Amino acid sequence: MESHAKMIDETLCISASYTSELFNVHRNTLAQWVKLGMPKAKAGWYPLKECVEWVIAYRTGSGEDDDEDGESKEPKTDAAKKLRHEARLKEQQAEAAALRNAVAKGEYIRKDEVVSELQRFFTTLKRSMVGYSRKVAMEVAPFVEPDLVRVIEQNITDTTNTVLLQLSVRGVYHAKKGKK
């Protein structure tokens, strides 16, 4: 009967077959993991404690390659660097594909279309607001004296121009505090 564990240099080690069974991976995966930095005692034998720690760190993306803030440092081996960069590339390709799909579904609008529509809207808004003071003045004219009608119209025009100016400069209107 084959032994699955033995002591090597005072370290409990397990066989390659038992290691692959323990982590539920193929033996070829173990060879790849060794290239990525998984500890190996000698041919066909793996230190149990160190391998468990390494696999946990590998599968969760944390461990010795993280600094004290939890920020990931660059991997130590070329194979690990390649793997990390390939993973980043795949993530960016997936994000780009998601954006293309969103554009195709009409969830995004071209910038020039938005600018054109907003310019048309604000031009219409300005014309409407500028004419508003005249309309209000004509509505109140039968009830007040002509001089007061002109004052009301001018006050509404001045306030409208202030609002439009503030919206065009800062994008936000801040009303002045009323006098007491």
Side-chain angles (χ1 to χ4, degrees), residues 1 35 40 47 52 68-71 80-81 84 88 95 100 104-105 124 130 136 143 149 153 159-160 164 169 180:
M1 182 170 157
K35 290 178 184 176
K40 184 175 181 180
V52 168
E68 54 275 355
D69 296 332
E71 294 293 322
K81 288 178 186 177
R84 176 175 278 180
R88 286 181 185 163
E95 288 175 16
R100 281 192 302 274
K105 290 177 185 175
T124 304
V130 168
V136 171
F143 305 105
V149 170
E153 183 180 355
T159 302
T160 300
L164 290 171
V169 173
K180 291 186 179 180

Side-chain angles (χ1 to χ4, degrees), residues 33-179:
W33 284 359
V34 168
K35 290 178 184 176
L36 294 175
M38 185 172 108
K40 184 175 181 180
K42 68 178 196 176
W45 293 94
Y46 297 87
L48 178 63
K49 181 178 182 273
E50 290 86 353
C51 286
V52 168
E53 291 169 352
W54 187 92
V55 170
I56 289 170
Y58 177 77
R59 287 184 172 168
T60 62
S62 61
E64 293 178 10
D65 288 343
D66 291 353
D67 63 15
E68 54 275 355
D69 296 332
E71 294 293 322
S72 183
K73 294 181 187 177
E74 278 299 313
K76 294 178 182 172
T77 66
D78 289 340
K81 288 178 186 177
K82 179 182 177 191
L83 184 65
R84 176 175 278 180
H85 289 296
E86 285 175 348
R88 286 181 185 163
L89 174 64
K90 296 287 185 196
E91 288 172 3
Q92 290 174 351
Q93 287 173 337
E95 288 175 16
L99 179 60
R100 281 192 302 274
N101 289 339
V103 169
K105 290 177 185 175
E107 295 175 1
Y108 287 92
I109 305 170
R110 291 180 45 134
K111 178 183 172 184
D112 57 343
E113 292 175 22
V114 173
V115 168
S116 173
E117 287 296 317
L118 285 174
Q119 285 174 338
R120 189 176 11 258
F121 169 77
F122 283 114
T123 300
T124 304
L125 177 66
K126 180 180 178 184
R127 287 180 184 152
S128 298
M129 289 183 74
V130 168
Y132 181 70
S133 60
R134 173 64 61 166
K135 185 172 182 173
V136 171
M138 298 314 279
E139 292 287 326
V140 298
F143 305 105
V144 296
E145 296 188 24
D147 289 342
L148 186 54
V149 170
R150 285 191 295 279
V151 169
I152 290 171
E153 183 180 355
Q154 190 59 50
N155 284 342
I156 293 172
T157 300
D158 292 345
T159 302
T160 300
N161 288 335
T162 301
V163 168
L164 290 171
L165 179 65
Q166 287 184 8
L167 284 173
S168 69
V169 173
R170 294 184 205 97
V172 177
Y173 171 66
H174 298 287
K176 294 182 181 176
K177 301 288 184 201
K179 297 178 183 175

